[in-house]
Amino acid sequence: MNGQITIKSYTGFDDLDVVVIPDRINDLLVTKIDEKAFENYETVKKVILPQYLDSIGKRAFCRCGIKTIKLPDNLRIIGESAFSSSKIESIHITSAIKELSKSAFSWCEELKELTISNGINSIANGAFENCNNIKKIDIPNSVKNIGKNAFGNIGCYDVIIYCNAGSTAMKYARKFSIPVKRYEEFDLL
């Protein structure tokens, strides 16, 4: 519709571990991955997303074997539980995403590296809940709202939140007794 394509579901081969979604199909831009498109595909380990992708639907990669994914710079929407219970190991949330949906990466027990770009405003309830292997989280000053249990049950006591003094992230960390490192402590020059 309107010169754009939505990936409705993955019907590939069971033994294929890398999936490349092209930028265009029949000269139409691929801009959306629909709800549950890759859900439960445990054999898929890596997905290369199209550069014009605008949104990833609810549960699109839920319980997927995906370990590696690079989010395109202009991706704006990650749906509720989009990557929940997947095998993802690292994620960089790009600046075009203004809000992380509820449970977007919950139960990603292999997730070790989390980077959030400046520009995101809100991290919803349970977004990274039960991501037990995260050790370091950088939260930019642009984040003004962190939902209940956004980082619940992570890292037991090993996780450290890096943020600015007085920020929403610092208030959240103190409320839930999560260790904090202030950016001001580092000599960046």
Side-chain angles (χ1 to χ4, degrees), residues 34-47:
D34 216 356
E35 291 183 18
K36 302 179 180 181
F38 287 84
E39 186 175 32
N40 294 321
Y41 273 95
E42 294 182 21
T43 58
V44 175
K45 305 295 184 221
K46 181 177 183 176
V47 175

Side-chain angles (χ1 to χ4, degrees), residues 3 14-15 19 23 32 38 40 57 65 67 75 81 87 96 128 143 148 156 172 181 185:
D14 287 339
D15 62 346
V19 175
D23 291 339
K32 183 176 181 182
F38 287 84
N40 294 321
K67 292 177 178 264
L75 181 69
S81 300
K87 303 292 184 195
F128 295 97
V143 174
K148 181 180 178 184
C156 296
Y172 179 90
K181 290 270 187 188
E185 292 178 20

Side-chain angles (χ1 to χ4, degrees), residues 111-151:
L111 185 61
K112 295 173 187 77
E113 296 179 30
L114 169 61
T115 307
I116 301 172
S117 292
N118 198 29
I120 190 168
N121 299 319
S122 181
I123 300 172
N125 296 350
F128 295 97
E129 188 170 18
N130 293 307
C131 293
N132 296 323
N133 281 309
I134 294 177
K135 301 296 182 225
K136 177 184 174 190
I137 304 167
D138 284 302
I139 301 178
N141 228 17
S142 62
V143 174
K144 302 299 179 206
N145 180 44
I146 300 175
K148 181 180 178 184
N149 289 324
F151 299 99

Side-chain angles (χ1 to χ4, degrees), residues 38-186:
F38 287 84
E39 186 175 32
N40 294 321
Y41 273 95
E42 294 182 21
T43 58
V44 175
K45 305 295 184 221
K46 181 177 183 176
V47 175
I48 298 173
L49 297 174
Q51 65 177 329
Y52 304 107
L53 190 68
D54 181 66
S55 75
I56 295 174
K58 286 182 179 180
R59 303 177 66 87
F61 294 97
C62 183
R63 289 189 303 277
C64 183
I66 188 169
K67 292 177 178 264
T68 306
I69 197 162
K70 180 185 182 296
L71 301 178
D73 289 338
N74 58 332
L75 181 69
R76 294 183 315 108
I77 298 165
I78 296 177
E80 186 176 320
S81 300
F83 291 91
S84 182
S85 299
S86 70
K87 303 292 184 195
I88 199 119
E89 295 177 347
S90 68
I91 195 73
H92 172 74
I93 308 298
T94 59
S95 61
I97 298 168
K98 298 304 176 201
E99 177 180 346
L100 266 176
S101 298
K102 180 181 177 184
S103 302
F105 293 90
S106 65
W107 290 98
C108 289
E109 295 178 344
E110 305 299 319
L111 185 61
K112 295 173 187 77
E113 296 179 30
L114 169 61
T115 307
I116 301 172
S117 292
N118 198 29
I120 190 168
N121 299 319
S122 181
I123 300 172
N125 296 350
F128 295 97
E129 188 170 18
N130 293 307
C131 293
N132 296 323
N133 281 309
I134 294 177
K135 301 296 182 225
K136 177 184 174 190
I137 304 167
D138 284 302
I139 301 178
N141 228 17
S142 62
V143 174
K144 302 299 179 206
N145 180 44
I146 300 175
K148 181 180 178 184
N149 289 324
F151 299 99
N153 299 322
I154 59 168
C156 296
Y157 297 101
D158 298 332
V159 73
I160 296 174
I161 291 182
Y162 289 73
C163 58
N164 287 309
S167 67
T168 301
M170 180 170 274
K171 292 173 189 168
Y172 179 90
R174 292 228 166 107
K175 180 178 180 181
F176 294 101
S177 302
I178 300 170
V180 172
K181 290 270 187 188
R182 295 177 306 162
Y183 290 132
E184 294 87 351
E185 292 178 20
F186 302 99

